[in-house]
């Protein structure tokens, strides 16, 4: 199994910045093909935010383009989401996800527990 642990959420005023990180770990050898972020606001469905592949290709949800930046480390075990010019509508629980295969299991999606981001007016 693979564990994804997020950190970096918090409370920020509109226009401010936050950076989230997500680190994957496992007792066995693993390799991610992609990792990314989703978010879920109260009363809403979970939605895609951004992702990055092992080759560094990135995708962003339209509302965050130009404000959020996803990046990864060389081992592709940690990804970061740098969020700038935050808006109240960015308030949500942010979940890290990864499509990861291990020595035992075929590639499957793993999810972190989530980290709260709250943007005040």
């Amino acid at each position: 199994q693979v564990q994804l642990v997020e950190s970096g959420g918090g409370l920020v005023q509109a226009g401010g910045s936050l950076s989230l990180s997500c680190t994957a770990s496992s007792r066995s050898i693993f390799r991610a093909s992609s990792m990314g972020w989703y978010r879920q606001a109260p009363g809403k469905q979970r939605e895609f935010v951004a992702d990055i592949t092992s080759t560094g290709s990135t995708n962003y949800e339209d509302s965050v383009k130009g404000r959020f930046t996803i990046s990864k480390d060389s081992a592709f075990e940690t990804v970061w989401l740098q969020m700038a010019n935050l808006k109240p509508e960015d308030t949500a629980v942010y979940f890290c996800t990864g499509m990861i295969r291990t020595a035992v299991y075929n590639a499957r999606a793993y999810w972190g527990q989530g980290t709260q981001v709250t943007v005040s007016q």
Side-chain angles (χ1 to χ4, degrees):
Q1 294 293 330
V2 177
Q3 293 77 44
L4 299 180
V5 178
E6 307 103 332
S7 64
L11 173 64
V12 65
Q13 288 187 328
S17 300
L18 277 177
S19 183
L20 307 181
S21 67
C22 171
T23 298
S25 64
S26 175
R27 290 186 176 183
S28 63
I29 296 172
F30 66 94
R31 179 170 295 178
S33 56
S34 67
M35 294 181 70
W37 296 89
Y38 279 68
R39 65 186 179 186
Q40 188 167 19
K44 294 187 177 181
Q45 290 188 334
R46 192 172 297 189
E47 65 174 5
F48 170 79
V49 176
D51 66 11
I52 186 167
T53 68
S54 58
T55 59
S57 295
T58 59
N59 292 291
Y60 296 94
E61 193 269 330
D62 285 347
S63 71
V64 308
K65 286 180 180 177
R67 301 189 297 122
F68 291 10
T69 302
I70 190 170
S71 59
K72 65 179 183 68
D73 68 345
S74 58
F76 206 20
E77 294 178 355
T78 298
V79 293
W80 296 274
L81 185 68
Q82 295 175 298
M83 305 182 291
N85 191 21
L86 283 160
K87 304 175 181 180
E89 50 263 44
D90 294 317
T91 295
V93 178
Y94 283 69
F95 296 89
C96 177
T97 184
M99 186 59 69
I100 300 171
R101 66 180 174 90
T102 71
V104 178
Y105 298 103
N106 291 330
R108 51 155 284 194
Y110 291 87
W111 291 87
Q113 292 298 309
T115 185
Q116 177 71 46
V117 171
T118 303
V119 184
S120 64
Q121 295 280 4

